[in-house]
Amino acid sequence: MSTLTVFIRALPDSALNGRIDHHWWDDRTERRDRDAEALANRLQSVTFRAWPKEDTAPSIRVLNERTWSQATALELEFDTESPLSARLYLYLPNQKTHALRLHTLSHDEWPSFQRTWAGLPSAQSTSTTATAWLTPRDTGALRWNLEPRRRVHVRRSLALLGETIDSGKVYDILRAIKALESPGLELKDHSITLSGRGGSGFLSLIASLYADRVHVVDWADAPEPTDPGGHLLNWRRETGLSSILAAVASVRRVDIAAPSPVARSQWEALVQTLPDPTRAQVTVR
């Protein structure tokens, strides 16, 4: 688990030899971007600079298919950042809709999702919403089989290259959206809701900056705003959570579900600090 330590005014002597995954910043220098595209470009040049430069259409492989009277369930694997791949578990009701929910699973959600997926069609037979569950890199059936010491080594090596596992997961979300545009799936014209729980919700919020087809971001179990989850390099030095939220909410709706009254009140207070809170499309519940 990554440790994030925040020092508001100065870096104390006791932290001068912090680990590679420690970051510090002065929050007084936060830049506020009202333009989502400008913020996305700057984050891509700093936080996501290790993303592949060429973004070709992903190659999709059908691993399993189940069909019944109400819907079809597909298990797909697609390539992301070479040589890595990710998987999509797709529920397509026979009743045509124009909306698609793309939920990014965390590894902690994987066991319960497996039971839900195995229980189809009964577990979701009444749903009329097209839904895709994404297991990005190092998640679910594609979890990297690494002992703890080796996992730390991989994380540090990626950081030295300007990347983290979570920045790669943001890229996987964008690749999943491209994979869902495959002609055979007939989902290219669907409006997309990106959803995630905890840290995966934060990654979905970031990914929405790069996906025009996303109309809603649904963040469940959102942690307190001081630590929104996800481990991304240098993003706090370039911007802040309020700026990201303002940029996203200027072009799409953001629904935030806080797991506690304390977290909910903090999110409500954060929304009020946005440049134009009355026009921001943010709902906190």
Side-chain angles (χ1 to χ4, degrees):
M1 178 180 294
S2 299
T3 301
L4 181 67
T5 306
V6 180
F7 304 108
I8 298 300
R9 292 181 176 82
L11 188 66
D13 294 339
S14 61
L16 288 176
N17 294 317
R19 295 195 301 273
I20 194 170
D21 57 348
H22 275 75
H23 304 276
W24 73 280
W25 62 89
D26 184 341
D27 67 346
R28 294 170 296 179
T29 62
E30 176 184 329
R31 302 176 185 174
R32 294 184 180 273
D33 288 277
R34 299 193 184 195
D35 186 273
E37 184 177 358
L39 176 59
N41 289 339
R42 196 167 71 250
L43 284 177
Q44 188 162 358
S45 68
V46 175
T47 303
F48 304 121
R49 54 191 171 91
W51 283 356
K53 303 303 180 186
E54 296 184 2
D55 194 17
T56 57
S59 174
I60 303 174
R61 298 169 293 283
V62 179
L63 303 180
N64 191 23
E65 179 176 356
R66 287 179 286 163
T67 302
W68 56 97
S69 59
Q70 299 97 336
T72 298
L74 295 170
E75 183 178 347
L76 310 175
E77 186 167 316
F78 63 95
D79 60 288
T80 60
E81 183 180 0
S82 180
L84 303 176
S85 60
R87 289 188 181 177
L88 279 168
Y89 299 82
L90 192 57
Y91 173 88
L92 298 174
N94 292 338
Q95 179 179 340
K96 296 300 181 181
T97 67
H98 295 285
L100 169 68
R101 174 177 289 269
L102 173 57
H103 183 84
T104 300
L105 290 164
S106 66
H107 191 67
D108 291 340
E109 292 179 274
W110 174 243
S112 61
F113 170 74
Q114 281 183 295
R115 294 189 292 271
T116 299
W117 187 252
L120 290 176
S122 60
Q124 196 154 342
S125 59
T126 60
S127 175
T128 58
T129 302
T131 306
W133 293 269
L134 168 67
T135 55
R137 65 190 68 190
D138 195 30
T139 305
L142 299 178
R143 175 79 166 178
W144 301 341
N145 185 21
L146 300 174
E147 60 178 278
R149 182 177 298 180
R150 175 63 176 167
R151 182 170 290 276
V152 171
H153 175 73
V154 169
R155 285 176 50 227
R156 291 178 173 176
S157 299
L158 288 172
L160 291 173
L161 296 172
E163 188 174 14
T164 67
I165 295 175
D166 283 345
S167 68
K169 288 181 178 180
V170 176
Y171 182 75
D172 293 347
I173 294 173
L174 300 178
R175 292 289 285 176
I177 293 174
K178 283 189 173 293
L180 291 169
E181 293 176 352
S182 173
L185 298 177
E186 299 182 355
L187 297 171
K188 190 172 183 178
D189 296 328
H190 286 50
S191 63
I192 296 177
T193 294
L194 286 184
S195 65
R197 308 185 74 87
S200 294
F202 177 60
L203 301 183
S204 295
L205 181 74
I206 296 288
S208 71
L209 288 168
Y210 303 93
D212 293 337
R213 288 180 56 203
V214 174
H215 288 203
V216 181
V217 178
D218 187 0
W219 188 353
D221 288 341
E224 296 178 6
T226 52
D227 186 8
H231 178 49
L232 305 174
L233 295 178
N234 302 322
W235 72 274
R236 290 273 197 180
R237 296 182 182 179
E238 290 298 315
T239 185
L241 182 58
S242 61
S243 294
I244 293 174
L245 190 59
V248 173
S250 68
V251 292
R252 57 184 57 88
R253 195 176 87 237
V254 181
D255 294 333
I256 299 174
S260 69
V262 173
R264 183 166 60 252
S265 64
Q266 291 183 357
W267 279 107
E268 290 171 345
L270 179 65
V271 170
Q272 293 305 310
T273 68
L274 301 183
D276 192 353
T278 59
R279 297 187 61 186
Q281 305 175 74
V282 183
T283 302
V284 180
R285 63 186 191 276

